[in-house]
Amino acid sequence: MDGALESLRRDLAGLRSGRANAALLEPVRVEAYGGEVPLSQVATIAAPEARMLTVQVWDRSLAGLVEKAIRDSGLGLNPAGEGQTIRVPIPQLTEERRNELAKAAGRYAEGAKIAVRGVRRDGMDQTKTLEKKSEIGQDEVKSWSDVIQKLTDQYVKKVEEILADKEREIKQV
């Protein structure tokens, strides 16, 4: 569950304002080499100007895929390819752009909640397995289930708090 929170914080760090930051493209994944890989594994990202990112793709054949991945990332960016270099202008933060970023933050938070619930499901399955093996009784299963549910509720609440903080930051003019 801690891993889900840490992943959410990393993803949200890339969502920010009208200033260019290489972390902005961290959550972007590219369909390459037979699977999805992080953008940082196929290209170098730099911020040469305050409102521009450049992505230097190492393998020329992936340039189009990288450009498409950035465009389809849901970050509201419109990359322009020039050979192996892709320029990504960072748009001014309008109300519409702020709403797009808030929606993207919501998607990241929902993914974190799903991860937390997955950990809960695994914990519940383990207690049931131990009960079937007669290693613990029904009372212990109930007790552990309550503990697991309380932890899950706490972590979901933390995810919602992190999201609320990020939305306030994004909406701040």
Side-chain angles (χ1 to χ4, degrees):
M1 291 184 187
D2 285 331
L5 287 181
E6 190 56 39
S7 176
L8 174 63
R9 285 188 182 105
R10 247 192 334 268
D11 289 344
L12 292 180
L15 283 182
R16 186 52 200 145
S17 58
R19 208 164 155 75
N21 181 353
L24 181 66
L25 296 179
E26 249 180 53
V28 175
R29 300 186 64 76
V30 180
E31 192 69 38
Y33 307 119
E36 278 194 355
V37 296
L39 178 59
S40 61
Q41 291 185 5
V42 296
T44 303
I45 306 165
E49 301 172 25
R51 306 202 53 74
M52 177 74 67
L53 289 172
T54 58
V55 179
Q56 184 67 40
V57 182
W58 301 328
D59 183 351
R60 181 181 290 276
S61 65
L62 295 178
L65 294 172
V66 169
E67 193 174 335
K68 182 181 182 318
I70 294 169
R71 188 172 290 113
D72 297 344
S73 67
L75 297 173
L77 301 173
N78 192 17
E82 301 171 1
Q84 283 182 256
T85 302
I86 299 170
R87 298 192 184 287
V88 184
I90 306 300
Q92 192 70 11
L93 275 185
T94 62
E95 187 64 29
E96 181 181 329
R97 175 92 172 114
R98 290 177 196 278
N99 289 336
E100 285 177 19
L101 289 174
K103 285 180 186 176
R107 286 192 301 270
Y108 292 145
E110 192 56 40
K113 287 179 188 179
I114 290 169
V116 167
R117 291 182 194 122
V119 173
R120 176 189 63 191
R121 183 187 60 243
D122 293 344
M124 296 291 197
D125 289 347
Q126 286 179 355
T127 58
K128 289 176 184 173
T129 300
L130 290 173
E131 181 187 24
K132 286 180 184 176
K133 291 181 181 178
S134 299
E135 292 181 22
I136 61 174
Q138 287 182 338
D139 291 343
E140 286 179 283
V141 169
K142 175 73 172 126
S143 173
W144 279 111
S145 295
D146 291 345
V147 168
I148 293 168
Q149 186 59 49
K150 284 180 186 173
L151 277 172
T152 302
D153 294 343
Q154 289 172 359
Y155 276 86
V156 167
K157 185 177 179 186
K158 287 179 185 179
V159 167
E160 290 170 354
E161 289 169 358
I162 292 169
L163 175 62
D165 289 344
K166 190 61 176 186
E167 285 178 337
R168 267 193 302 281
E169 177 186 329
I170 289 170
K171 302 261 179 171
Q172 185 180 6
V173 178

